Amino acid sequence: MADSRPIAIITGATSGIGAAYGDKLASQGYDLVLTGRRMDVLSQRAHDLELKHHVNIYTEYLELGDEASLDDFINKYKDNPRISFLVNNAGYGNRKRFLDDNIDRQLEMVDVHNKSVAKIVHAFYPTLNKQESASLVNVSSMMGFYALPGTSMYSATKAFLILFTKAVALENTNPHLRIQVLCPGLTRTDFHINAPLADKNMKNRFIVRWMKPDQVVKISWKALRRGQIQCIPGFFNKLTVLLLKLVPDGLFNWIAKKIV
Ligand SMILES: NC(=O)c1ccc[n+]([C@@H]2O[C@H](COP(=O)([O-])OP(=O)(O)OC[C@H]3O[C@@H](n4cnc5c(N)ncnc54)[C@H](OP(=O)(O)O)[C@@H]3O)[C@@H](O)[C@H]2O)c1
């Protein structure tokens, strides 16, 4: 890593939002460290991005549920003085309802969505803090605002990311380090193919509107420039969050139990 370009780290960059963030950051002249587990897909993506944007891309196999591998990854990169952008994006959807599932498998989501992010943020903050300009994005979800049957761990871990990121952003006193929690709504990615409880049709219905990963990233990017801490991409997603805040809890729970 001898170049002088800034480096962006993106976890879960194999597909979807992480891959779109990779494209955006490479187009802005960042070298990239991309993590994932489908290494054949990740290597091909890295190769394509190098050809398209003429930057250096490094790929790392990283299972975020494996603490020893996570620690190795953190120790390898945390003091690299070129790291100036970090996207904690990796995540997955519920495979089973909480009460029907094995508890260890359910708790794995806490490790992947929360414990790993907290460790990464804590470890990389000193390096990000030293940069003339740096950014940290934690990818949560609109589901972090709601509890529905079948989303126990997903909603709870995403809610953690919203509050955690907001509080860290408030603790941060460096105006050159922008911190954002990104809360996408439905986005057409592999997420919905891999999560059995998700909607595989990915079709628009009423105010249910699907976005493309590059649209999500474009909005996140603009919000970062504005210094916005919480970013809900898309008009319909913002509207949904706003309208559902007005619905009394009891009514929301009654409807949720009926329709999900
Ligand atoms: N798609 C949506 O509708 C939506 C909505 C709101 C929020 N989000 C959030 O957006 C983020 C990105 O998801 P996406 O929609 O872009 O889905 P995606 O295309 O399935 O990408 C998920 C990425 O996370 C990685 N990943 C999953 N589990 C992992 C683990 N245990 N350890 C390490 N890496 C892991 C995957 O790696 P491999 O594929 O290489 O295994 C992949 O690179 C997630 O945090 C998700 O919760 C998605």
Side-chain angles (χ1 to χ4, degrees), residues 150-181:
T151 73
S152 321
M153 275 298 174
Y154 189 75
S155 288
T157 55
K158 293 298 182 179
F160 169 99
L161 284 175
I162 295 172
L163 293 180
F164 169 73
T165 311
K166 282 184 175 177
V168 169
L170 297 177
E171 283 181 21
N172 170 48
T173 53
N174 178 356
H176 305 294
L177 169 55
R178 286 157 296 205
I179 299 181
Q180 178 189 100
V181 59

PDB file of all heavy atoms in Angstrom, residues 150-181:
ATOM      1  N   GLY A 150     -41.354 -11.515  13.394  1.00  0.00           N
ATOM      2  CA  GLY A 150     -40.338 -12.057  12.473  1.00  0.00           C
ATOM      3  C   GLY A 150     -39.117 -11.166  12.322  1.00  0.00           C
ATOM      4  O   GLY A 150     -38.175 -11.519  11.619  1.00  0.00           O
ATOM      5  N   THR A 151     -39.135  -9.987  12.970  1.00  0.00           N
ATOM      6  CA  THR A 151     -37.971  -9.104  12.809  1.00  0.00           C
ATOM      7  C   THR A 151     -37.274  -8.824  14.141  1.00  0.00           C
ATOM      8  O   THR A 151     -36.512  -7.853  14.237  1.00  0.00           O
ATOM      9  CB  THR A 151     -38.364  -7.742  12.190  1.00  0.00           C
ATOM     10  OG1 THR A 151     -39.077  -6.970  13.187  1.00  0.00           O
ATOM     11  CG2 THR A 151     -39.225  -7.884  10.954  1.00  0.00           C
ATOM     12  N   SER A 152     -37.527  -9.667  15.149  1.00  0.00           N
ATOM     13  CA  SER A 152     -37.019  -9.359  16.500  1.00  0.00           C
ATOM     14  C   SER A 152     -35.553  -8.928  16.499  1.00  0.00           C
ATOM     15  O   SER A 152     -35.223  -7.804  16.891  1.00  0.00           O
ATOM     16  CB  SER A 152     -37.144 -10.578  17.419  1.00  0.00           C
ATOM     17  OG  SER A 152     -38.330 -11.249  17.171  1.00  0.00           O
ATOM     18  N   MET A 153     -34.674  -9.814  16.084  1.00  0.00           N
ATOM     19  CA  MET A 153     -33.244  -9.512  16.154  1.00  0.00           C
ATOM     20  C   MET A 153     -32.851  -8.472  15.112  1.00  0.00           C
ATOM     21  O   MET A 153     -32.004  -7.621  15.367  1.00  0.00           O
ATOM     22  CB  MET A 153     -32.417 -10.783  15.939  1.00  0.00           C
ATOM     23  CG  MET A 153     -32.225 -11.570  17.195  1.00  0.00           C
ATOM     24  SD  MET A 153     -31.315 -10.585  18.415  1.00  0.00           S
ATOM     25  CE  MET A 153     -31.405 -11.665  19.805  1.00  0.00           C
ATOM     26  N   TYR A 154     -33.450  -8.557  13.925  1.00  0.00           N
ATOM     27  CA  TYR A 154     -33.074  -7.604  12.875  1.00  0.00           C
ATOM     28  C   TYR A 154     -33.424  -6.183  13.311  1.00  0.00           C
ATOM     29  O   TYR A 154     -32.572  -5.288  13.301  1.00  0.00           O
ATOM     30  CB  TYR A 154     -33.761  -7.957  11.548  1.00  0.00           C
ATOM     31  CG  TYR A 154     -33.222  -7.126  10.401  1.00  0.00           C
ATOM     32  CD1 TYR A 154     -31.960  -7.405   9.863  1.00  0.00           C
ATOM     33  CD2 TYR A 154     -33.930  -6.048   9.885  1.00  0.00           C
ATOM     34  CE1 TYR A 154     -31.437  -6.634   8.837  1.00  0.00           C
ATOM     35  CE2 TYR A 154     -33.410  -5.271   8.859  1.00  0.00           C
ATOM     36  CZ  TYR A 154     -32.164  -5.570   8.334  1.00  0.00           C
ATOM     37  OH  TYR A 154     -31.631  -4.801   7.324  1.00  0.00           O
ATOM     38  N   SER A 155     -34.681  -5.965  13.717  1.00  0.00           N
ATOM     39  CA  SER A 155     -35.090  -4.618  14.131  1.00  0.00           C
ATOM     40  C   SER A 155     -34.274  -4.144  15.324  1.00  0.00           C
ATOM     41  O   SER A 155     -33.846  -2.989  15.381  1.00  0.00           O
ATOM     42  CB  SER A 155     -36.574  -4.597  14.510  1.00  0.00           C
ATOM     43  OG  SER A 155     -37.355  -4.716  13.354  1.00  0.00           O
ATOM     44  N   ALA A 156     -34.070  -5.044  16.286  1.00  0.00           N
ATOM     45  CA  ALA A 156     -33.356  -4.643  17.503  1.00  0.00           C
ATOM     46  C   ALA A 156     -31.898  -4.285  17.200  1.00  0.00           C
ATOM     47  O   ALA A 156     -31.378  -3.290  17.712  1.00  0.00           O
ATOM     48  CB  ALA A 156     -33.428  -5.765  18.537  1.00  0.00           C
ATOM     49  N   THR A 157     -31.248  -5.081  16.365  1.00  0.00           N
ATOM     50  CA  THR A 157     -29.837  -4.773  16.075  1.00  0.00           C
ATOM     51  C   THR A 157     -29.716  -3.511  15.222  1.00  0.00           C
ATOM     52  O   THR A 157     -28.752  -2.755  15.347  1.00  0.00           O
ATOM     53  CB  THR A 157     -29.124  -5.955  15.369  1.00  0.00           C
ATOM     54  OG1 THR A 157     -29.849  -6.318  14.185  1.00  0.00           O
ATOM     55  CG2 THR A 157     -29.010  -7.161  16.291  1.00  0.00           C
ATOM     56  N   LYS A 158     -30.706  -3.278  14.365  1.00  0.00           N
ATOM     57  CA  LYS A 158     -30.665  -2.065  13.535  1.00  0.00           C
ATOM     58  C   LYS A 158     -31.020  -0.831  14.373  1.00  0.00           C
ATOM     59  O   LYS A 158     -30.501   0.256  14.135  1.00  0.00           O
ATOM     60  CB  LYS A 158     -31.591  -2.210  12.322  1.00  0.00           C
ATOM     61  CG  LYS A 158     -31.116  -3.266  11.322  1.00  0.00           C
ATOM     62  CD  LYS A 158     -29.763  -2.910  10.728  1.00  0.00           C
ATOM     63  CE  LYS A 158     -29.272  -3.887   9.693  1.00  0.00           C
ATOM     64  NZ  LYS A 158     -27.969  -3.535   9.104  1.00  0.00           N
ATOM     65  N   ALA A 159     -31.911  -0.999  15.362  1.00  0.00           N
ATOM     66  CA  ALA A 159     -32.225   0.111  16.278  1.00  0.00           C
ATOM     67  C   ALA A 159     -30.978   0.478  17.085  1.00  0.00           C
ATOM     68  O   ALA A 159     -30.680   1.657  17.302  1.00  0.00           O
ATOM     69  CB  ALA A 159     -33.364  -0.281  17.208  1.00  0.00           C
ATOM     70  N   PHE A 160     -30.240  -0.541  17.509  1.00  0.00           N
ATOM     71  CA  PHE A 160     -28.965  -0.303  18.212  1.00  0.00           C
ATOM     72  C   PHE A 160     -28.069   0.590  17.359  1.00  0.00           C
ATOM     73  O   PHE A 160     -27.494   1.567  17.849  1.00  0.00           O
ATOM     74  CB  PHE A 160     -28.277  -1.651  18.489  1.00  0.00           C
ATOM     75  CG  PHE A 160     -26.845  -1.541  18.978  1.00  0.00           C
ATOM     76  CD1 PHE A 160     -26.554  -1.642  20.335  1.00  0.00           C
ATOM     77  CD2 PHE A 160     -25.797  -1.359  18.081  1.00  0.00           C
ATOM     78  CE1 PHE A 160     -25.232  -1.545  20.783  1.00  0.00           C
ATOM     79  CE2 PHE A 160     -24.483  -1.256  18.522  1.00  0.00           C
ATOM     80  CZ  PHE A 160     -24.201  -1.355  19.873  1.00  0.00           C
ATOM     81  N   LEU A 161     -27.969   0.260  16.067  1.00  0.00           N
ATOM     82  CA  LEU A 161     -27.061   1.026  15.200  1.00  0.00           C
ATOM     83  C   LEU A 161     -27.491   2.484  15.082  1.00  0.00           C
ATOM     84  O   LEU A 161     -26.648   3.383  14.988  1.00  0.00           O
ATOM     85  CB  LEU A 161     -27.001   0.385  13.804  1.00  0.00           C
ATOM     86  CG  LEU A 161     -26.178  -0.889  13.693  1.00  0.00           C
ATOM     87  CD1 LEU A 161     -26.295  -1.484  12.296  1.00  0.00           C
ATOM     88  CD2 LEU A 161     -24.698  -0.621  14.017  1.00  0.00           C
ATOM     89  N   ILE A 162     -28.801   2.724  15.082  1.00  0.00           N
ATOM     90  CA  ILE A 162     -29.280   4.117  14.973  1.00  0.00           C
ATOM     91  C   ILE A 162     -28.858   4.902  16.214  1.00  0.00           C
ATOM     92  O   ILE A 162     -28.210   5.951  16.116  1.00  0.00           O
ATOM     93  CB  ILE A 162     -30.819   4.158  14.786  1.00  0.00           C
ATOM     94  CG1 ILE A 162     -31.208   3.527  13.438  1.00  0.00           C
ATOM     95  CG2 ILE A 162     -31.322   5.604  14.857  1.00  0.00           C
ATOM     96  CD1 ILE A 162     -32.703   3.330  13.231  1.00  0.00           C
ATOM     97  N   LEU A 163     -29.185   4.373  17.388  1.00  0.00           N
ATOM     98  CA  LEU A 163     -28.878   5.108  18.622  1.00  0.00           C
ATOM     99  C   LEU A 163     -27.375   5.174  18.876  1.00  0.00           C
ATOM    100  O   LEU A 163     -26.843   6.206  19.283  1.00  0.00           O
ATOM    101  CB  LEU A 163     -29.601   4.466  19.810  1.00  0.00           C
ATOM    102  CG  LEU A 163     -31.123   4.587  19.769  1.00  0.00           C
ATOM    103  CD1 LEU A 163     -31.742   3.934  20.990  1.00  0.00           C
ATOM    104  CD2 LEU A 163     -31.557   6.047  19.691  1.00  0.00           C
ATOM    105  N   PHE A 164     -26.696   4.067  18.633  1.00  0.00           N
ATOM    106  CA  PHE A 164     -25.238   4.019  18.832  1.00  0.00           C
ATOM    107  C   PHE A 164     -24.549   5.073  17.957  1.00  0.00           C
ATOM    108  O   PHE A 164     -23.730   5.868  18.430  1.00  0.00           O
ATOM    109  CB  PHE A 164     -24.738   2.607  18.485  1.00  0.00           C
ATOM    110  CG  PHE A 164     -23.244   2.492  18.386  1.00  0.00           C
ATOM    111  CD1 PHE A 164     -22.452   2.532  19.519  1.00  0.00           C
ATOM    112  CD2 PHE A 164     -22.621   2.352  17.145  1.00  0.00           C
ATOM    113  CE1 PHE A 164     -21.062   2.438  19.426  1.00  0.00           C
ATOM    114  CE2 PHE A 164     -21.247   2.254  17.035  1.00  0.00           C
ATOM    115  CZ  PHE A 164     -20.466   2.300  18.177  1.00  0.00           C
ATOM    116  N   THR A 165     -24.912   5.102  16.678  1.00  0.00           N
ATOM    117  CA  THR A 165     -24.229   6.021  15.754  1.00  0.00           C
ATOM    118  C   THR A 165     -24.549   7.472  16.104  1.00  0.00           C
ATOM    119  O   THR A 165     -23.671   8.342  16.065  1.00  0.00           O
ATOM    120  CB  THR A 165     -24.636   5.719  14.294  1.00  0.00           C
ATOM    121  OG1 THR A 165     -24.507   4.320  14.073  1.00  0.00           O
ATOM    122  CG2 THR A 165     -23.770   6.484  13.310  1.00  0.00           C
ATOM    123  N   LYS A 166     -25.823   7.725  16.443  1.00  0.00           N
ATOM    124  CA  LYS A 166     -26.188   9.103  16.792  1.00  0.00           C
ATOM    125  C   LYS A 166     -25.397   9.564  18.023  1.00  0.00           C
ATOM    126  O   LYS A 166     -24.889  10.680  18.066  1.00  0.00           O
ATOM    127  CB  LYS A 166     -27.681   9.191  17.094  1.00  0.00           C
ATOM    128  CG  LYS A 166     -28.554   9.217  15.853  1.00  0.00           C
ATOM    129  CD  LYS A 166     -29.988   9.400  16.304  1.00  0.00           C
ATOM    130  CE  LYS A 166     -30.933   9.549  15.158  1.00  0.00           C
ATOM    131  NZ  LYS A 166     -32.320   9.654  15.611  1.00  0.00           N
ATOM    132  N   ALA A 167     -25.286   8.698  19.009  1.00  0.00           N
ATOM    133  CA  ALA A 167     -24.579   9.071  20.242  1.00  0.00           C
ATOM    134  C   ALA A 167     -23.088   9.272  19.970  1.00  0.00           C
ATOM    135  O   ALA A 167     -22.485  10.237  20.466  1.00  0.00           O
ATOM    136  CB  ALA A 167     -24.792   8.008  21.316  1.00  0.00           C
ATOM    137  N   VAL A 168     -22.493   8.388  19.149  1.00  0.00           N
ATOM    138  CA  VAL A 168     -21.075   8.554  18.808  1.00  0.00           C
ATOM    139  C   VAL A 168     -20.877   9.864  18.044  1.00  0.00           C
ATOM    140  O   VAL A 168     -19.911  10.610  18.278  1.00  0.00           O
ATOM    141  CB  VAL A 168     -20.566   7.348  17.982  1.00  0.00           C
ATOM    142  CG1 VAL A 168     -19.185   7.619  17.402  1.00  0.00           C
ATOM    143  CG2 VAL A 168     -20.518   6.088  18.849  1.00  0.00           C
ATOM    144  N   ALA A 169     -21.821  10.159  17.143  1.00  0.00           N
ATOM    145  CA  ALA A 169     -21.722  11.413  16.377  1.00  0.00           C
ATOM    146  C   ALA A 169     -21.792  12.615  17.316  1.00  0.00           C
ATOM    147  O   ALA A 169     -21.125  13.626  17.081  1.00  0.00           O
ATOM    148  CB  ALA A 169     -22.840  11.485  15.334  1.00  0.00           C
ATOM    149  N   LEU A 170     -22.572  12.509  18.368  1.00  0.00           N
ATOM    150  CA  LEU A 170     -22.666  13.612  19.326  1.00  0.00           C
ATOM    151  C   LEU A 170     -21.423  13.697  20.211  1.00  0.00           C
ATOM    152  O   LEU A 170     -21.018  14.779  20.627  1.00  0.00           O
ATOM    153  CB  LEU A 170     -23.932  13.471  20.182  1.00  0.00           C
ATOM    154  CG  LEU A 170     -25.258  13.544  19.398  1.00  0.00           C
ATOM    155  CD1 LEU A 170     -26.430  13.326  20.325  1.00  0.00           C
ATOM    156  CD2 LEU A 170     -25.390  14.868  18.659  1.00  0.00           C
ATOM    157  N   GLU A 171     -20.820  12.535  20.483  1.00  0.00           N
ATOM    158  CA  GLU A 171     -19.573  12.545  21.266  1.00  0.00           C
ATOM    159  C   GLU A 171     -18.421  13.128  20.454  1.00  0.00           C
ATOM    160  O   GLU A 171     -17.499  13.728  21.009  1.00  0.00           O
ATOM    161  CB  GLU A 171     -19.180  11.103  21.665  1.00  0.00           C
ATOM    162  CG  GLU A 171     -19.988  10.535  22.816  1.00  0.00           C
ATOM    163  CD  GLU A 171     -19.526   9.119  23.173  1.00  0.00           C
ATOM    164  OE1 GLU A 171     -18.385   8.722  22.849  1.00  0.00           O
ATOM    165  OE2 GLU A 171     -20.338   8.386  23.785  1.00  0.00           O
ATOM    166  N   ASN A 172     -18.482  12.933  19.131  1.00  0.00           N
ATOM    167  CA  ASN A 172     -17.395  13.392  18.263  1.00  0.00           C
ATOM    168  C   ASN A 172     -17.377  14.927  18.187  1.00  0.00           C
ATOM    169  O   ASN A 172     -18.373  15.546  17.838  1.00  0.00           O
ATOM    170  CB  ASN A 172     -17.617  12.803  16.859  1.00  0.00           C
ATOM    171  CG  ASN A 172     -16.682  13.402  15.831  1.00  0.00           C
ATOM    172  OD1 ASN A 172     -15.473  13.494  16.051  1.00  0.00           O
ATOM    173  ND2 ASN A 172     -17.250  13.839  14.717  1.00  0.00           N
ATOM    174  N   THR A 173     -16.238  15.511  18.496  1.00  0.00           N
ATOM    175  CA  THR A 173     -16.158  16.977  18.478  1.00  0.00           C
ATOM    176  C   THR A 173     -15.389  17.487  17.261  1.00  0.00           C
ATOM    177  O   THR A 173     -15.183  18.682  17.118  1.00  0.00           O
ATOM    178  CB  THR A 173     -15.450  17.490  19.749  1.00  0.00           C
ATOM    179  OG1 THR A 173     -14.204  16.794  19.857  1.00  0.00           O
ATOM    180  CG2 THR A 173     -16.293  17.264  21.002  1.00  0.00           C
ATOM    181  N   ASN A 174     -14.965  16.552  16.409  1.00  0.00           N
ATOM    182  CA  ASN A 174     -14.160  16.938  15.242  1.00  0.00           C
ATOM    183  C   ASN A 174     -15.075  17.274  14.058  1.00  0.00           C
ATOM    184  O   ASN A 174     -15.708  16.384  13.497  1.00  0.00           O
ATOM    185  CB  ASN A 174     -13.235  15.761  14.897  1.00  0.00           C
ATOM    186  CG  ASN A 174     -12.385  16.041  13.683  1.00  0.00           C
ATOM    187  OD1 ASN A 174     -12.525  17.080  13.031  1.00  0.00           O
ATOM    188  ND2 ASN A 174     -11.494  15.115  13.376  1.00  0.00           N
ATOM    189  N   PRO A 175     -15.121  18.531  13.629  1.00  0.00           N
ATOM    190  CA  PRO A 175     -16.016  18.904  12.521  1.00  0.00           C
ATOM    191  C   PRO A 175     -15.566  18.328  11.177  1.00  0.00           C
ATOM    192  O   PRO A 175     -16.333  18.317  10.218  1.00  0.00           O
ATOM    193  CB  PRO A 175     -15.940  20.442  12.503  1.00  0.00           C
ATOM    194  CG  PRO A 175     -14.657  20.785  13.184  1.00  0.00           C
ATOM    195  CD  PRO A 175     -14.353  19.684  14.145  1.00  0.00           C
ATOM    196  N   HIS A 176     -14.329  17.850  11.104  1.00  0.00           N
ATOM    197  CA  HIS A 176     -13.832  17.290   9.833  1.00  0.00           C
ATOM    198  C   HIS A 176     -14.142  15.801   9.709  1.00  0.00           C
ATOM    199  O   HIS A 176     -13.847  15.191   8.697  1.00  0.00           O
ATOM    200  CB  HIS A 176     -12.323  17.524   9.713  1.00  0.00           C
ATOM    201  CG  HIS A 176     -11.960  18.961   9.865  1.00  0.00           C
ATOM    202  ND1 HIS A 176     -12.343  19.915   8.951  1.00  0.00           N
ATOM    203  CD2 HIS A 176     -11.300  19.610  10.853  1.00  0.00           C
ATOM    204  CE1 HIS A 176     -11.918  21.096   9.352  1.00  0.00           C
ATOM    205  NE2 HIS A 176     -11.293  20.948  10.511  1.00  0.00           N
ATOM    206  N   LEU A 177     -14.696  15.220  10.776  1.00  0.00           N
ATOM    207  CA  LEU A 177     -15.097  13.809  10.715  1.00  0.00           C
ATOM    208  C   LEU A 177     -16.622  13.743  10.733  1.00  0.00           C
ATOM    209  O   LEU A 177     -17.272  14.056  11.726  1.00  0.00           O
ATOM    210  CB  LEU A 177     -14.513  13.043  11.914  1.00  0.00           C
ATOM    211  CG  LEU A 177     -15.050  11.616  12.141  1.00  0.00           C
ATOM    212  CD1 LEU A 177     -14.890  10.748  10.892  1.00  0.00           C
ATOM    213  CD2 LEU A 177     -14.323  10.963  13.316  1.00  0.00           C
ATOM    214  N   ARG A 178     -17.181  13.351   9.565  1.00  0.00           N
ATOM    215  CA  ARG A 178     -18.645  13.272   9.459  1.00  0.00           C
ATOM    216  C   ARG A 178     -19.099  11.855   9.775  1.00  0.00           C
ATOM    217  O   ARG A 178     -18.505  10.886   9.293  1.00  0.00           O
ATOM    218  CB  ARG A 178     -19.091  13.671   8.044  1.00  0.00           C
ATOM    219  CG  ARG A 178     -18.982  15.174   7.829  1.00  0.00           C
ATOM    220  CD  ARG A 178     -18.877  15.500   6.388  1.00  0.00           C
ATOM    221  NE  ARG A 178     -17.640  14.935   5.844  1.00  0.00           N
ATOM    222  CZ  ARG A 178     -17.010  15.399   4.777  1.00  0.00           C
ATOM    223  NH1 ARG A 178     -17.502  16.399   4.127  1.00  0.00           N
ATOM    224  NH2 ARG A 178     -15.905  14.847   4.342  1.00  0.00           N
ATOM    225  N   ILE A 179     -20.144  11.767  10.574  1.00  0.00           N
ATOM    226  CA  ILE A 179     -20.637  10.447  10.999  1.00  0.00           C
ATOM    227  C   ILE A 179     -22.112  10.343  10.639  1.00  0.00           C
ATOM    228  O   ILE A 179     -22.899  11.255  10.916  1.00  0.00           O
ATOM    229  CB  ILE A 179     -20.423  10.266  12.522  1.00  0.00           C
ATOM    230  CG1 ILE A 179     -18.915  10.338  12.848  1.00  0.00           C
ATOM    231  CG2 ILE A 179     -21.026   8.944  12.996  1.00  0.00           C
ATOM    232  CD1 ILE A 179     -18.555  10.147  14.304  1.00  0.00           C
ATOM    233  N   GLN A 180     -22.462   9.235  10.027  1.00  0.00           N
ATOM    234  CA  GLN A 180     -23.855   9.066   9.563  1.00  0.00           C
ATOM    235  C   GLN A 180     -24.377   7.670   9.853  1.00  0.00           C
ATOM    236  O   GLN A 180     -23.643   6.687   9.706  1.00  0.00           O
ATOM    237  CB  GLN A 180     -23.909   9.286   8.044  1.00  0.00           C
ATOM    238  CG  GLN A 180     -25.291   9.099   7.433  1.00  0.00           C
ATOM    239  CD  GLN A 180     -25.258   9.112   5.906  1.00  0.00           C
ATOM    240  OE1 GLN A 180     -25.283   8.076   5.250  1.00  0.00           O
ATOM    241  NE2 GLN A 180     -25.149  10.289   5.327  1.00  0.00           N
ATOM    242  N   VAL A 181     -25.640   7.610  10.250  1.00  0.00           N
ATOM    243  CA  VAL A 181     -26.318   6.314  10.241  1.00  0.00           C
ATOM    244  C   VAL A 181     -27.283   6.334   9.055  1.00  0.00           C
ATOM    245  O   VAL A 181     -28.126   7.218   8.918  1.00  0.00           O
ATOM    246  CB  VAL A 181     -27.031   5.997  11.579  1.00  0.00           C
ATOM    247  CG1 VAL A 181     -28.088   7.009  11.967  1.00  0.00           C
ATOM    248  CG2 VAL A 181     -27.651   4.596  11.518  1.00  0.00           C
TER     249      VAL A 181
END
